Amino acid sequence: MNHHLGPGRGRRAVWLMTSCAAIGLLSATGVQAQTQNEATEVGELVVTGSYQRSLQQAVDLKRENVGFSDSIVATDVANFPEQNLAEALQRMPGVTIERNKGLGTRVMVRGLPSEFTFVTINDLATASGSGGRDVEFDIFASEIIQQVTVQKSPTAADEEGGIAGSINISTARPFDYDGPRLVGSVEGAYNSISEEIDPKLSFLASNTWGDFGALVSVSTAKRTNRTDSNSGINFRPAFRFLEASGTRGTQAQSVLARDAGVIVTDRSDRDQTSRIIFQDKVGDRVYLNEQDQWGATLSLQYQPSSNFSLAFDGMIGAYDATEDEYDAAAYSASSRSTFETIHEYDDTTLADYGMVVLRDVSYTATQHEFLSKERISKTDYSQFGAELNWNGDNWEFNALAGYSGAEKTIDFANLKHVAYAPSRTRWTADGGETILSANPASIDMYNSPTSYLFEAYETNLEAITDDKYAAQADFTRHFDFAAFPALSSIQVGARYTDKSKERQYGSLNIQGPGPGDSSWANQRTLADSVLTPIADLVPGGDYSARDLTWSQISNAYARDTFRYAGFVTPFDDGQYYEVTEETLSLYAMADFDFEIARVPVFVNGGARYVDTTVESSGFHQVQNPDGTTGYTPEPVSSEGGYDKILPSLNIHAELTDSIVLRGAASETLIRPALSDLAYKRTASWNSFRFTDGNPNLQPTYAKQWEVGLEKYLAQGGLLSVSYFWKEIEGVVRSELTGTVPNVTKYNANGTVDGVYDFDVYQPVNAEGSYEVSGVELVAVVPLSLFYAPLEGFGVNANYTLLDSSLTGESDLGIPTPPVGLADKTYNVTLYYENDRFQARASYNYKDKYVEGIGYEMYPIWRDAYGQTDISVSYDVNDRIQLSLEGINITDEETKGYTMHPSFPTMYELSGRRFSLGVRMEW
C-alpha cells in the first residue's frame, strides 16, 4: 500500500503466498512477472533466468523509487546459493547478517542492531518466535520471495518501526504469470563436516481462468549442519579469587606476587583487581543442528479488469530445529579454586590500560564439565490476508486486512557432570586448552569418566505466542491543475494494528529418578551412563577443530534415562509477561512533479501521526509472612502510551537522462523491546530494591537525512554514492525511578525484620543522543559496456563505511565501539551468462565488531569474516534446468577475541555446503 514509486508508477501491497522453492523456479525458468501490479501502466517485466536481467529490474526499481532504497528480485534471490532469507539479504548495500553456527539468522541494516530494522512480508508486520521484536529470518527459505526492497528513507505512508530501515518482502499472485504453470524441483545438499545429504522438494501449480486465478504450493526441506568449536571464553577479573575469604584470597595474592611480580595492595580495590586477567573457561564443543521445514500456500485472485483486483492469500508452515551440543569444558574460575602457579603472564599487550593478562596458569581446583545439551525448538506460523485495489480516472482506493501469527516452544536440557581437580589452562592460537598440571591430583579431563559426578539434568521450557492483526485503507487523488501543475497527487490513509506477544518460561533440575529425589547428585558418575565417542555421536566423524577425541553421553540417552515418568517443566510466574500494543496511524502526503531550469524534479512530502497504547502484565514478586518468596496471585497490569508526528521529505532530480540527484529527510522511531515493556517485578530483599518493567517507555527516535548521486548506465548498469546521517535519541537504560514506601520485610523464620522504603529501578529513555553516519557505494557494471567481447560478464558490488559517536559502556573506561557496529562491509559478485549457462561467484565481507562487553568491562570482538559462494546452472532445454551451488567454498572459520587477537574466545568450523538440483516446468 505504500507509495514509493515516482510519477506514472503504480504500487500494490501484496500478501505472502508461497514458502517454497517453486517461486524461485518460476522466476528462473521464464515466467512473466509484474513489479507491484504495474503491468497495465509500465508494461510487463519478463524474467528469463538471467541474473543480469534481475539486476536490471532492481536498478529500475531503485531509479523509480522516490526515496533511497535497494532491491533484489526473483532470479537474484531464488537462484543464488542461500540457506535462508537472511543470507539472501546480505548481498544488499548496507545489509549485514548475524551468523550462528554458520547459518544466517538476524539481519542488520547500516550496522544498527537487528531490533532497529522493521520487517514486513507483503505489507504485514511479520510474526516470529523471537521473544523480542526482531524477526528470525532463518525460518524463511530464500525461495519464498519475488522481490525484496530495503527502504532506507520512509514516506508518510510507510508503517513506522525501523530506525535503520524497513525490509519489505513481497511475493507473486496467479495473474503475475502468463497462463498455467506447473513446477517441481528436487535438490540434494551436502555439508562437508556432517557429511550428510539433505533433501529439498517443492511443487507449485498456478493458473488463471478468465477473471479468476489460483495458485497452490507445497514444499519440504531438511538441513543438517555441524559446527566444531574450540574456545577460550572471555576474560575473568582476578577479584574472583582475591576477594575470596580464607586461603583462596591470600594464596591468589601471594602467587601473583611470586610468579608475576604483581603486588596487590588492597584485595577489595577493583580498580586494581579488575585489571589482572585470567582465562575464565575453555572447551571443545560439537554442535549438530537439524532443521525440518515445510509450508503450504494458497492464493485466490479475482481480476475482472485492469482497474479492479480482489485477492485472498494464505500460508501455513512449520520450522522445527533440534540442536545437539556436546561440551568438554574446564571452568578455571570455580568457587573452590585459586591460583597455584602462573607459568606465563603478559604485561605489555594491554599495558595502555594497566592490564596484566595471565596467559598460562595452573589452578588448585578447576571445575571440569561434561555437558550434553539439547535444544528442541518448534515454530508454527501462519499468515492470511485479503486485499482490494481499485483505480478510477483520477481516484485510487486500496484496502487490506490480515493476520500474521507464530507459536514457538523451546525445550532445552543440559546434562551436567562435574569433576573438581587441579589443572593447567592456557590460550592457544585459536582458543584455549586445559592439560594436566604438576599437581599429583590433576586428571586427564577427556579420559577420566569415573572422576565426573552427576550434578543435574537441567531443563528449561519457553513458550512464545505472537499475534499481529492489521487493517488499512487509503485514497489517492490525482490532479492535473492548470493553475498549479506541480501538484500531481494527494494520498491520505489510516492503518490500525493490534499486536500481542505472550511469553512463558520455566526451569526444573532433575537430580534423581523421581520428583524431589536427589539421590544421584554427587553419587552417580559419568561412567555409570553409556558413553559414545564423539566421532560416532554426531555424523561426520572425528572432531575437526583440534586433534582430539573424547566420549560423551548422547542426548537421546539422557532424555530416556533422566526424564522420569510424568516429568514436566513447570512455568515460573516470575518469568511470565504479556504485552499488547494497539496503534492507530493517520497519514497524508503529496507528490509534486515540476522542473527547475529544465531539470525534472519529483518531491514527496508528508507526515504520519502515530498514537500507540501499550498494556503490559506480569507477576510481581512478594515476600510471604513466613519469610518465603512468592508472587502475586494474578498478573499485575499497567498501561502506557505515546503519540508522535513523523514528518518525511523525499526529493529526486533528473540532472540528465542518466544522472539522478537524490535527497531525503525524515523522523522515525523504533519501539521499545518487549522485555523492557513487560510489567513484571523482581525483588532483592537484602538490597531493598525492586526491578520493574516499564510499559510507559517511549520509543527511540531518529532524525535522519541522506544525499546521493546515481549514474545509470546502459544494460541496467549503475554507479551510485550516498552519504547518510542519523541522530538517535531516547536509548533505553536502567535507572532509579522512585521508591515504594512502607514495605514489610520478613526474616527467614517469619518474624518481621522491619518496614522499609524500597528503591524501584526501571528501564527509561536516557537523556542525550548519538550520531551514526556513513557512505554507501554501489556498482552494477555489465563489462560489455567497455569491451564488447566480454558480453555476458559483469560485476555487482557494494561497499558501506560507517562511523558513530556512541561508545560502549566499559566500567574500566576502555574505548569501545557500539555493540554490533562494523566499520565496513562489502559484497562483490562476478557473473557470466549466455543463453543456457550461468555462473556466479560472490564474496561477502563484514569487518570486525564488538559482540558484547564482558562483565561490563572488556570488549569482546567478533573477528572480520569473509565468505565465498558460487552458483552454476545449465538449461538442458526450455523445461529442465540443472544447478550446482556452493556455500563457504573456501571453508572459512568464525573467530573472536577479547580486546586483542592473541586472546581468542572463539574458533568455529561450520564447513562447506554444496547442493545439486534439477528444476522442471510444464
Side-chain angles (χ1 to χ4, degrees):
M1 302 281 295
N2 298 336
H3 195 167
H4 294 312
L5 302 179
R9 304 280 289 187
R11 80 275 179 267
R12 184 192 83 171
V14 288
W15 294 93
L16 182 61
M17 145 173 5
T18 181
S19 64
C20 69
I23 286 294
L25 305 181
L26 287 171
S27 301
T29 52
V31 303
Q32 188 176 46
Q34 297 172 340
T35 301
Q36 297 187 335
N37 207 22
E38 296 161 0
T40 59
E41 297 184 33
V42 300
E44 296 172 340
L45 299 176
V46 180
V47 182
T48 60
S50 165
Y51 176 69
Q52 184 171 335
R53 177 57 178 160
S54 72
L55 292 179
Q56 184 174 347
Q57 292 184 48
V59 169
D60 289 344
L61 289 170
K62 182 180 181 71
R63 182 168 189 169
E64 295 296 336
N65 198 325
V66 62
F68 286 88
S69 69
D70 292 283
S71 299
I72 49 178
V73 296
T75 303
D76 186 13
V77 175
N79 209 29
F80 207 94
E82 319 290 356
Q83 297 183 91
N84 57 42
L85 183 53
E87 296 189 2
L89 299 182
Q90 71 178 316
R91 308 188 191 283
M92 304 182 72
V95 176
T96 56
I97 65 174
E98 293 179 2
R99 293 182 184 275
N100 182 24
K101 316 299 184 307
L103 184 68
T105 53
R106 290 179 169 84
V107 172
M108 297 174 287
V109 175
R110 288 179 166 171
L112 295 169
S114 58
E115 294 86 354
F116 281 32
T117 300
F118 184 67
V119 181
T120 64
I121 295 181
N122 300 327
D123 210 29
L124 183 66
T126 306
S128 78
S130 164
R133 295 186 185 273
D134 52 331
V135 173
E136 296 178 316
F137 281 88
D138 52 345
I139 72 174
F140 300 113
S142 61
E143 292 87 355
I144 74 167
I145 57 179
Q146 184 83 354
Q147 175 185 314
V148 179
T149 296
V150 178
Q151 191 71 27
K152 298 170 182 177
S153 61
T155 70
D158 291 321
E159 186 175 0
E160 70 288 343
I163 282 179
S166 297
I167 296 177
N168 306 313
I169 303 166
S170 61
T171 60
R173 284 184 176 149
F175 279 97
D176 293 335
Y177 305 128
D178 182 19
R181 286 292 184 273
L182 189 62
V183 180
S185 71
V186 179
E187 180 183 295
Y190 171 82
N191 178 264
S192 64
I193 298 183
S194 70
E195 299 180 354
E196 292 285 292
I197 297 177
D198 299 324
K200 178 190 287 187
L201 307 172
S202 62
F203 173 82
L204 181 143
S206 177
N207 200 4
T208 58
W209 303 270
D211 299 338
F212 180 78
L215 181 150
V216 62
S217 72
V218 293
S219 68
T220 180
K222 180 179 175 62
R223 183 165 48 236
T224 306
N225 285 343
R226 174 177 160 182
T227 297
D228 291 0
S229 171
N230 170 248
S231 61
I233 301 176
N234 209 351
F235 283 5
R236 190 63 182 253
F239 63 69
R240 169 66 171 172
F241 295 151
L242 290 168
E243 292 181 357
S245 60
T247 58
R248 288 182 64 225
T250 57
Q251 180 170 327
Q253 185 179 27
S254 63
V255 171
L256 282 167
R258 182 194 71 198
D259 295 342
V262 176
I263 307 301
V264 178
T265 58
D266 183 354
R267 289 195 286 123
S268 63
D269 179 8
R270 292 200 171 185
D271 188 53
Q272 293 184 59
T273 59
S274 295
R275 299 179 192 274
I276 306 169
I277 305 302
F278 67 98
Q279 198 170 21
D280 191 1
K281 189 176 184 178
V282 301
D284 294 280
R285 298 170 176 82
V286 175
Y287 302 88
L288 180 68
N289 192 286
E290 297 178 299
Q291 302 159 37
D292 288 288
Q293 187 178 51
W294 69 269
T297 68
L298 172 68
S299 178
L300 305 175
Q301 190 174 10
Y302 176 63
Q303 188 171 300
S305 71
S306 61
N307 296 329
F308 181 84
S309 176
L310 180 65
F312 169 82
D313 303 297
M315 181 189 76
I316 59 172
Y319 176 83
D320 299 339
T322 299
E323 182 178 83
D324 293 305
E325 176 184 345
Y326 297 105
D327 292 4
Y331 179 45
S332 305
S334 82
S335 59
R336 303 181 187 182
S337 191
T338 192
F339 302 134
E340 187 170 67
T341 304
I342 298 171
H343 303 281
E344 182 184 353
Y345 64 93
D346 181 345
D347 58 1
T348 59
T349 303
L350 302 178
D352 289 345
Y353 310 110
M355 296 174 64
V356 177
V357 182
L358 311 180
R359 287 187 174 271
D360 185 349
V361 180
S362 289
Y363 302 89
T364 59
T366 296
Q367 179 177 319
H368 305 86
E369 301 173 342
F370 267 41
L371 309 175
S372 297
K373 299 180 180 180
E374 181 184 44
R375 182 179 287 102
I376 301 174
S377 62
K378 296 182 179 293
T379 303
D380 295 312
Y381 56 90
S382 58
Q383 184 162 315
F384 306 97
E387 181 193 356
L388 183 150
N389 295 296
W390 172 81
N391 300 318
D393 291 338
N394 296 311
W395 285 92
E396 293 182 35
F397 173 70
N398 303 275
L400 63 85
Y403 164 81
S404 177
E407 294 185 357
K408 182 176 183 177
T409 60
I410 304 173
D411 183 356
F412 173 78
N414 177 22
L415 175 60
K416 187 174 183 180
H417 287 78
V418 175
Y420 289 92
S423 68
R424 181 177 176 179
T425 294
R426 59 193 179 192
W427 270 282
T428 62
D430 297 318
E433 65 177 357
T434 295
I435 60 176
L436 287 166
S437 73
N439 192 312
S442 186
I443 64 171
D444 176 0
M445 64 170 285
Y446 297 95
N447 192 32
S448 303
T450 57
S451 298
Y452 285 82
L453 298 178
F454 173 88
E455 184 172 289
Y457 181 73
E458 304 168 345
T459 67
N460 299 327
L461 184 63
E462 183 175 17
I464 297 170
T465 301
D466 187 6
D467 294 302
K468 292 180 169 68
Y469 299 87
Q472 178 171 322
D474 64 42
F475 294 87
T476 301
R477 176 69 162 90
H478 298 278
F479 298 100
D480 188 13
F481 290 138
F484 189 18
L487 179 64
S488 58
S489 68
I490 292 177
Q491 181 179 347
V492 296
R495 185 181 184 99
Y496 172 78
T497 61
D498 184 349
K499 305 173 184 177
S500 65
K501 185 163 287 194
E502 182 182 42
R503 188 249 194 184
Q504 299 184 82
Y505 180 88
S507 61
L508 182 68
N509 291 347
I510 298 173
Q511 294 188 308
D517 191 330
S518 60
S519 60
W520 286 341
N522 297 318
Q523 298 298 319
R524 185 185 176 103
T525 73
L526 187 69
D528 291 329
S529 296
V530 175
L531 300 179
T532 304
I534 199 71
D536 298 327
L537 201 55
V538 293
D542 293 337
Y543 181 56
S544 62
R546 292 206 292 156
D547 184 13
L548 179 71
T549 188
W550 69 95
S551 295
Q552 205 155 339
I553 300 172
S554 74
N555 281 319
Y557 176 90
R559 177 174 283 269
D560 293 340
T561 303
F562 297 101
R563 296 201 176 198
Y564 49 77
F567 161 81
V568 64
T569 302
F571 287 126
D572 177 10
D573 286 346
Q575 300 294 331
Y576 170 87
Y577 67 76
E578 182 177 18
V579 178
T580 300
E581 185 177 79
E582 294 184 53
T583 298
L584 176 64
S585 300
L586 306 175
Y587 55 91
M589 64 183 190
D591 292 339
F592 300 89
D593 190 359
F594 53 92
E595 291 187 355
I596 299 177
R598 297 187 178 180
V599 174
V601 177
F602 179 77
V603 178
N604 171 275
R608 186 177 186 91
Y609 171 73
V610 179
D611 186 2
T612 300
T613 301
V614 176
E615 182 174 359
S616 174
S617 62
F619 290 90
H620 282 206
Q621 197 172 30
V622 297
Q623 196 176 37
N624 301 317
D626 63 359
T628 61
T629 298
Y631 294 94
T632 53
E634 298 293 335
V636 179
S637 298
S638 182
E639 291 188 356
Y642 48 86
D643 60 350
K644 183 71 173 178
I645 295 176
L646 303 173
S648 63
L649 178 68
N650 291 274
I651 304 172
H652 74 248
E654 301 272 354
L655 301 182
T656 71
D657 290 342
S658 61
I659 298 178
V660 174
L661 176 66
R662 200 180 298 272
S666 62
E667 186 170 358
T668 185
L669 61 83
I670 180 69
R671 293 188 165 87
L674 298 178
S675 56
D676 290 332
L677 291 171
Y679 194 57
K680 57 180 184 177
R681 168 175 290 177
T682 58
S684 177
W685 302 106
N686 293 329
S687 300
F688 310 104
R689 173 174 173 167
F690 291 136
T691 301
D692 292 2
N694 186 1
N696 208 33
L697 271 177
Q698 300 295 295
T700 297
Y701 294 101
K703 298 176 182 177
Q704 56 190 23
W705 60 266
E706 184 166 0
V707 62
L709 194 65
E710 301 161 1
K711 169 67 174 177
Y712 290 88
L713 310 174
Q715 302 178 41
L718 169 68
L719 298 173
S720 73
V721 57
S722 65
Y723 175 83
F724 61 88
W725 177 91
K726 299 175 185 286
E727 182 183 43
I728 300 173
E729 61 181 355
V731 176
V732 176
R733 297 281 187 266
S734 180
E735 292 183 6
L736 176 67
T737 59
T739 60
V740 177
N742 304 322
V743 176
T744 301
K745 178 177 178 294
Y746 296 92
N747 295 315
N749 61 7
T751 60
V752 175
D753 178 81
V755 178
Y756 304 94
D757 292 345
F758 272 53
D759 292 332
V760 178
Y761 284 80
Q762 290 178 288
V764 299
N765 298 101
E767 298 292 334
S769 62
Y770 69 96
E771 297 177 2
V772 174
S773 60
V775 175
E776 285 184 356
L777 305 173
V778 177
V780 180
V781 182
L783 296 182
S784 59
L785 292 176
F786 306 101
Y787 186 52
L790 293 179
E791 179 70 30
F793 287 94
V795 177
N796 175 22
N798 59 77
Y799 177 89
T800 303
L801 180 67
L802 297 173
D803 187 27
S804 173
S805 66
L806 182 68
T807 58
E809 300 293 322
S810 169
D811 289 349
L812 294 181
I814 298 170
T816 305
V819 172
L821 180 63
D823 288 344
K824 62 177 178 284
T825 59
Y826 61 84
N827 302 280
V828 179
T829 297
L830 304 177
Y831 66 88
Y832 170 76
E833 61 182 39
N834 57 33
D835 291 342
R836 288 191 177 275
F837 178 77
Q838 296 185 67
R840 277 164 279 161
S842 178
Y843 183 75
N844 174 262
Y845 176 87
K846 181 177 181 180
D847 203 5
K848 65 179 181 179
Y849 63 94
V850 173
E851 281 192 296
I853 303 177
Y855 299 98
E856 300 180 351
M857 299 177 189
Y858 320 109
I860 303 170
W861 291 82
R862 176 71 69 93
D863 211 350
Y865 181 84
Q867 178 172 303
T868 301
D869 305 326
I870 62 169
S871 174
V872 178
S873 63
Y874 177 74
D875 296 334
V876 178
N877 53 44
D878 291 341
R879 299 188 181 278
I880 300 176
Q881 183 187 71
L882 302 177
S883 64
L884 174 66
E885 301 174 340
I887 295 176
N888 190 26
I889 60 170
T890 56
D891 200 14
E892 299 297 324
E893 310 96 346
T894 301
K895 297 182 178 181
Y897 58 89
T898 304
M899 293 189 66
H900 190 273
S902 65
F903 308 117
T905 60
M906 173 192 300
Y907 179 74
E908 288 187 353
L909 297 168
S910 296
R912 306 176 179 91
R913 188 173 181 86
F914 297 97
S915 61
L916 180 65
V918 57
R919 300 171 171 133
M920 296 164 286
E921 178 184 358
W922 299 270

